[in-house]
């Protein structure tokens, strides 16, 4: 009976212990500029080409255009210009994004930096409320991928 009980507990608990959160957004300071913030979304279970395509469509919905900057050894970088972000007071910004395989190689890491109109980069230290709104915006993008 003990063995059955332990086996049943392990059966129900193991998937939650090893599961990865496909909706995780992390916020970090950029290494070369401590007053700038990057956001990274771990997009699990999607192929890279679909993630790129959906990102371009998502940016077009915000009146922006996306251009390929580089593709090097699994890392693909895009620049999106003339993007209107409602969470930043409808400022027109430039988004720098890097797509790379995630550490488990079962999805894509999307890292985002926001260049403001004055040439500086967005920092969550100057406006903490907007950081959560940017994370929510990236989660909205993530949910659009699930539709396809």
């Amino acid at each position: 009976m003990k063995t059955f009980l332990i086996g049943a507990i392990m059966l129900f608990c193991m998937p939650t212990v090893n599961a990865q959160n496909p909706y995780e957004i992390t916020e970090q300071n950029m290494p070369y500029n401590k007053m700038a913030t990057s956001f990274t979304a771990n997009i699990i279970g999607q192929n890279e080409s679909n993630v790129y395509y959906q990102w371009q469509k998502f940016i077009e919905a915000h009146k922006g255009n996306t251009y390929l900057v580089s593709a090097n050894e699994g890392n693909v970088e895009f620049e999106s210009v003339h993007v209107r972000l409602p969470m930043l007071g409808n400022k027109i910004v430039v988004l720098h994004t890097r797509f790379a395989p995630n550490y488990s190689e079962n999805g894509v890491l999307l890292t985002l930096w926001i260049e403001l109109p004055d040439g500086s980069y967005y920092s969550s230290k100057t406006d903490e409320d907007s950081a959560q709104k940017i994370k929510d915006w990236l989660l909205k993008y993530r949910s659009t991928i699930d539709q396809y």
Side-chain angles (χ1 to χ4, degrees), residues 44-109:
I44 296 174
Q46 295 290 329
N47 70 41
E48 294 175 13
S49 60
N50 185 45
V51 172
Y52 308 151
Y53 176 72
Q54 295 302 326
W55 178 253
Q56 289 174 316
K57 285 179 54 178
F58 189 70
I59 294 304
E60 287 172 1
H62 289 82
K63 310 295 184 217
N65 294 314
T66 300
Y67 303 100
L68 178 66
V69 174
S70 71
N72 188 14
E73 296 180 15
N75 294 328
V76 177
E77 296 185 16
F78 286 106
E79 184 174 281
S80 303
V81 296
H82 308 295
V83 181
R84 185 176 302 277
L85 292 183
M87 74 284 295
L88 295 178
N90 279 326
K91 289 182 183 173
I92 297 176
V93 299
V94 176
L95 301 179
H96 302 275
T97 50
R98 178 180 297 137
F99 297 88
N102 68 6
Y103 304 113
S104 317
E105 296 185 0
N106 62 353
V108 179
L109 292 174

Side-chain angles (χ1 to χ4, degrees), residues 12-146:
F12 291 108
C13 293
M14 288 302 284
T16 60
V17 172
N18 293 325
Q20 294 178 337
N21 184 358
Y23 301 104
E24 177 183 32
I25 308 288
T26 56
E27 177 182 341
Q28 297 178 348
N29 290 334
M30 289 173 41
Y32 58 89
N33 184 349
K34 299 298 182 196
M35 287 304 292
T37 304
S38 69
F39 297 91
T40 302
N42 188 10
I43 303 169
I44 296 174
Q46 295 290 329
N47 70 41
E48 294 175 13
S49 60
N50 185 45
V51 172
Y52 308 151
Y53 176 72
Q54 295 302 326
W55 178 253
Q56 289 174 316
K57 285 179 54 178
F58 189 70
I59 294 304
E60 287 172 1
H62 289 82
K63 310 295 184 217
N65 294 314
T66 300
Y67 303 100
L68 178 66
V69 174
S70 71
N72 188 14
E73 296 180 15
N75 294 328
V76 177
E77 296 185 16
F78 286 106
E79 184 174 281
S80 303
V81 296
H82 308 295
V83 181
R84 185 176 302 277
L85 292 183
M87 74 284 295
L88 295 178
N90 279 326
K91 289 182 183 173
I92 297 176
V93 299
V94 176
L95 301 179
H96 302 275
T97 50
R98 178 180 297 137
F99 297 88
N102 68 6
Y103 304 113
S104 317
E105 296 185 0
N106 62 353
V108 179
L109 292 174
L110 179 159
T111 303
L112 170 73
W113 299 272
I114 302 171
E115 185 178 344
L116 300 173
D118 65 1
S120 66
Y121 283 86
Y122 170 83
S123 173
S124 62
K125 293 176 181 165
T126 57
D127 188 0
E128 292 178 16
D129 291 337
S130 64
Q132 184 57 49
K133 291 177 183 174
I134 292 169
K135 289 179 186 179
D136 292 342
W137 183 71
L138 284 172
L139 287 172
K140 180 180 175 185
Y141 160 69
R142 175 63 176 100
S143 70
T144 62
I145 294 176
D146 289 336

